[in-house]
Amino acid sequence: MCGLDGLSLSEERGFEIRTANWSDAELDQFLHVMRLVTLEKEPASYPKVSKILYNRFPFENVQGFIAECNQAYAHGEASIYMQVRIDEQPLFDQSILKLWLNGIEYHADPKKEMLWKQLEASISAPSARALVLAQLHSKTLALLNLDYIAAQVISGEEYA
């Protein structure tokens, strides 16, 4: 999975967001595998592990790196650099992923489904899906970054 491949604005296509595309089956499998680290009540959830690492390493550079990982995890990598809004809705924000998960993917919340359909009407269904894929990519990247920090601690190697 990769993050954003591009953003464009044109008269003929409007606002377009591009990422690599996954099939529905691949996306379902990915979401299933990621449940143990994305669901906040799980013992090894990303937020819990991130908090432990942040609190145990009082070094400005490590805590800054973890804070950036947390921003990417919660709102997507793009949110570190920019924000785009449609009316009051930020596009690079965890609310987009939650809207999709609760309105379309897992739960059939009619209000959230309606809001998702409005988003698709505003930016196109492929662009709305690209936002979801970019968010999931960012969660994965943040998770891999925390894994790297933990692996360095476990290895016990010292760096000069």
Side-chain angles (χ1 to χ4, degrees):
M1 176 181 273
C2 68
L4 291 175
D5 285 344
L7 303 171
S8 61
L9 182 61
S10 66
E11 286 187 34
E12 54 274 355
R13 290 195 307 257
F15 183 63
E16 184 180 42
I17 303 165
R18 293 179 305 280
T19 63
N21 199 11
W22 280 26
S23 70
D24 289 341
E26 290 169 323
L27 185 54
D28 287 344
Q29 289 173 354
F30 180 79
L31 290 170
H32 179 72
V33 168
M34 292 293 287
R35 288 178 66 90
L36 293 174
V37 292
T38 57
L39 294 177
E40 293 180 14
K41 292 183 180 180
E42 293 291 335
S45 71
Y46 176 92
K48 289 178 183 174
V49 172
S50 171
K51 184 176 181 180
I52 290 168
L53 290 173
Y54 186 90
N55 290 334
R56 297 288 170 106
F57 294 96
F59 309 109
E60 188 177 328
N61 59 343
V62 175
Q63 289 183 337
F65 181 69
I66 292 172
E68 282 189 12
C69 289
N70 292 346
Q71 174 72 23
Y73 180 85
H75 303 291
E77 294 167 89
S79 73
I80 296 170
Y81 309 105
M82 66 177 166
Q83 188 55 265
V84 176
R85 294 178 186 276
I86 294 181
D87 294 324
E88 296 300 313
Q89 175 62 59
L91 298 185
F92 304 117
D93 187 78
Q94 65 184 341
S95 61
I96 292 291
L97 181 60
K98 288 181 178 182
L99 186 65
W100 177 76
L101 287 170
N102 294 316
I104 303 297
E105 184 64 17
Y106 288 134
H107 310 288
D109 181 323
K111 183 177 180 183
K112 290 184 172 131
E113 181 179 8
M114 179 193 69
L115 291 171
W116 182 259
K117 297 293 183 191
Q118 288 174 346
L119 177 67
E120 287 181 329
S122 296
I123 63 171
S124 81
S127 288
R129 183 179 173 97
L131 286 172
V132 168
L133 294 175
Q135 275 259 279
L136 293 173
H137 170 265
S138 295
K139 286 188 180 309
T140 304
L141 183 61
L143 179 65
L144 291 172
N145 284 333
L146 284 193
D147 177 64
Y148 176 78
I149 293 171
Q152 298 311 304
V153 171
I154 291 169
S155 76
E157 291 184 34
E158 293 195 28
Y159 298 93

